[in-house]
Structures are given as C-alpha cells and as structure tokens.
C-alpha cells in the first residue's frame, strides 16, 4: 500500500488541488492529513469540503482548533490571528463541526499521526531535544508505532533513530529499516517555509518500505489574488511567492 501524507494545507485550494492531482497520478491508495486544513489563506470551506468528500483521515491542527472555536488565538501572531477571525466568519456550521471533532492523534498500524508533537498539538519538533523527547513518547504509545508523522513547522524533516542515536536524513528517498524508528514531516501543502514555494507532501510505500518526498508547482498568483480580495493581510499573500 502507498500512503500519501499531506499537512498544513491552510485553506490554499490551488495547492491542495495540485497535490491531490499528483497523488492520484502516483497511484497512492490512501491519503492522510496531519492537520491545519484551515488558517492563513482564503478557501477554508472548499479545503475542508475536499478533505471530507475524499474521505481523507486527518488530525486536528492548532489553526483548526482556533478556527473551530476550541481555543482562542491570543497566542498567535497578528497575521495568523486576523486569518483565524476571518476563517471563523467564513466557516459554515458543518465544516466547523467537522474540524471540532477531529482527533488530536491517530494510530494506524505502524504509523502515528499528530500535528505538532506526540500528545501536544501546539509544540514544535525543531531541535535535537524535541526529536529525542518525541521518540521517547512514541515508544510509550501502546504498540510503539515505528513512524511518527508530524507537521506544524512547514519544513520537511526526516529523522531515523538507530540504537538510540537520531540521524537527520537530508535528501532523496528514505529507505526504512525494520529495527529503526522514524519521525517524518512532509513539509506544507499550502504555506511552505523552506524557501521553495512549491507545495510539499510525501508518500510512504509500506511494501517497498520507502518514503519519497515530493514538490509540485501550483497557481500561486490565483491564491494570492483571493487573499487580497478577501481583505486578509497582504503579508500572507507575499510569503507564498517566497516560500517563507
Ligand atoms: Zn500550520
């Protein structure tokens, strides 16, 4: 089975459509989403509707949680908080209800899906200490899932844990070994932050035991035009072109 992993769509319809088109072309069997379906960009209802109609299993992201009214956005930067206020006004009831009901984590066979960190939607995995903490937490989860899938940073990351030592895997496809654990972030569909504006996702092939990382171009200008037309902060449109 080939599992496509997407994350941090952030109401970017053009990027989501481009990614799902490429996933179909790659003949993935299932698609999982690591949260933040909404926030920042201008098509929250359309993106939630696609995730629902495609039957894509998703976990709750920190922006989903604020947009659905589960938490307030006081700790967000002003641009992100503006977008949350706008998104709350836009979301139709059934889409808000859908977001509110998303689980914070999902375990599917050897995979564990979460948005930020294991048991913490808002916490980032950035540094060595975060990586070690999360490998430990993963081992404490019933069944000790071998592969932790996360988003939230909007930056691709792949780390293997072999004999207690984490190794950052920089580029190329990642062959998996049975006796190692992994933390993998596919990067962001709708707001990449690694300097490459193309939408990011990854594919886990469980029979080949291989993870491949993908980037796909989408219509950034169309997405930017909608952000400006919606009256969302211009900064949110500008950053898409820079991939920051
Ligand atoms: Zn995000």
């Amino acid at each position: 089975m080939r599992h496509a992993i997407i994350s941090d769509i952030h109401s970017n319809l053009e990027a989501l459509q481009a990614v799902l088109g490429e996933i179909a072309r790659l003949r993935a069997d299932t698609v999982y989403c690591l949260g933040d379906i909404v926030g920042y960009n201008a098509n929250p209802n359309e993106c939630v509707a696609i995730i629902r109609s495609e039957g894509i299993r998703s976990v709750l992201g920190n922006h989903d949680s604020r947009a659905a009214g589960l938490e307030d956005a006081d700790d967000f930067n002003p641009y992100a908080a503006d977008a949350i206020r706008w998104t709350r006004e836009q979301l139709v009831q059934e889409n808000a209800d859908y977001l509110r009901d998303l689980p914070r984590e999902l375990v599917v066979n050897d995979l564990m899906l979460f948005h930020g960190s294991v048991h913490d939607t808002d916490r980032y995995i950035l540094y060595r200490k975060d990586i070690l903490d999360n490998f430990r937490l993963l081992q404490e989860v019933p069944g000790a899932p071998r592969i932790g899938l996360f988003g939230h940073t909007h930056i691709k990351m792949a780390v293997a844990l072999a004999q207690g030592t984490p190794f950052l895997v920089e580029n190329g496809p990642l062959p998996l070994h049975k006796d190692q654990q992994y933390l993998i972030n596919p990067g962001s569909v709708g707001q990449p932050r690694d300097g490459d504006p193309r939408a990011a996702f990854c594919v886990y092939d469980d029979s080949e035991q291989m993870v491949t990382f993908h980037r796909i171009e989408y219509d950034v200008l169309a997405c930017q035009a909608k952000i400006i037309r919606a009256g969302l902060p211009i900064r949110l449109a500008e950053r898409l072109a820079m991939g920051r």
Side-chain angles (χ1 to χ4, degrees):
M1 291 264 282
R2 310 182 81 197
H3 311 277
I5 318 295
I6 62 177
S7 190
D8 297 278
I9 297 157
H10 286 297
S11 302
N12 185 333
L13 179 63
E14 287 73 23
L16 179 60
Q17 286 172 330
V19 161
L20 292 180
E22 183 68 0
I23 286 170
R25 201 183 66 77
L26 294 168
R27 298 179 187 284
D29 300 286
T30 55
V31 185
Y32 292 111
C33 174
L34 306 176
D36 277 2
I37 300 167
V38 302
Y40 292 128
N41 301 311
N43 285 117
N45 283 307
E46 293 80 357
C47 289
V48 174
I50 288 174
I51 297 296
R52 293 174 63 198
S53 66
E54 296 285 319
I56 295 170
R57 292 180 75 186
S58 181
V59 292
L60 180 84
N62 58 320
H63 287 250
D64 302 325
S65 154
R66 270 90 181 163
L70 291 171
E71 290 163 271
D72 62 43
D74 293 352
D75 57 338
F76 273 25
N77 73 52
Y79 308 109
D82 275 359
I84 290 296
R85 271 191 293 277
W86 181 87
T87 302
R88 279 183 183 171
E89 289 165 11
Q90 302 295 316
L91 277 177
V92 298
Q93 192 62 45
E94 60 176 25
N95 287 338
D97 290 345
Y98 168 83
L99 292 175
R100 204 172 297 122
D101 290 342
L102 286 175
R104 286 186 183 265
E105 44 199 48
L106 268 176
V107 177
V108 187
N109 301 319
D110 52 355
L111 304 176
M112 180 166 181
L113 286 64
F114 47 91
H115 182 67
S117 290
V118 177
H119 310 322
D120 193 337
T121 303
D122 286 60
R123 202 176 144 194
Y124 292 96
I125 299 180
L126 285 170
Y127 305 112
R128 185 182 166 86
K129 183 181 183 309
D130 311 322
I131 290 167
L132 288 169
D133 285 351
N134 276 273
F135 274 126
R136 183 176 45 75
L137 290 167
L138 213 51
Q139 285 155 10
E140 290 167 359
V141 170
R146 194 164 60 97
I147 304 167
L149 298 168
F150 68 102
H152 195 33
T153 64
H154 298 207
I155 293 172
K156 180 206 134 186
M157 182 189 262
V159 197
L161 185 74
Q163 286 149 3
T165 309
F167 293 94
L168 217 51
V169 185
E170 289 296 348
N171 279 311
L174 169 65
L176 305 184
H177 301 280
K178 285 274 175 230
D179 55 349
Q180 295 182 0
Q181 273 193 310
Y182 298 89
L183 283 168
I184 294 169
N185 183 332
S188 168
V189 170
Q191 195 193 74
R193 293 181 190 162
D194 59 357
D196 181 346
R198 294 176 301 167
F201 67 98
C202 73
V203 175
Y204 166 49
D205 186 321
D206 63 10
S207 48
E208 300 266 318
Q209 284 298 302
M210 185 76 75
V211 176
T212 49
F213 294 90
H214 302 264
R215 298 305 282 260
I216 182 97
E217 285 188 15
Y218 71 93
D219 193 343
V220 174
L221 284 173
C223 184
Q224 290 177 313
K226 289 180 190 174
I227 292 168
I228 291 161
R229 222 179 300 140
L232 286 160
I234 285 169
R235 160 101 182 96
L236 297 178
E238 289 171 344
R239 67 187 302 173
L240 293 178
M242 300 180 281
R244 292 283 176 206

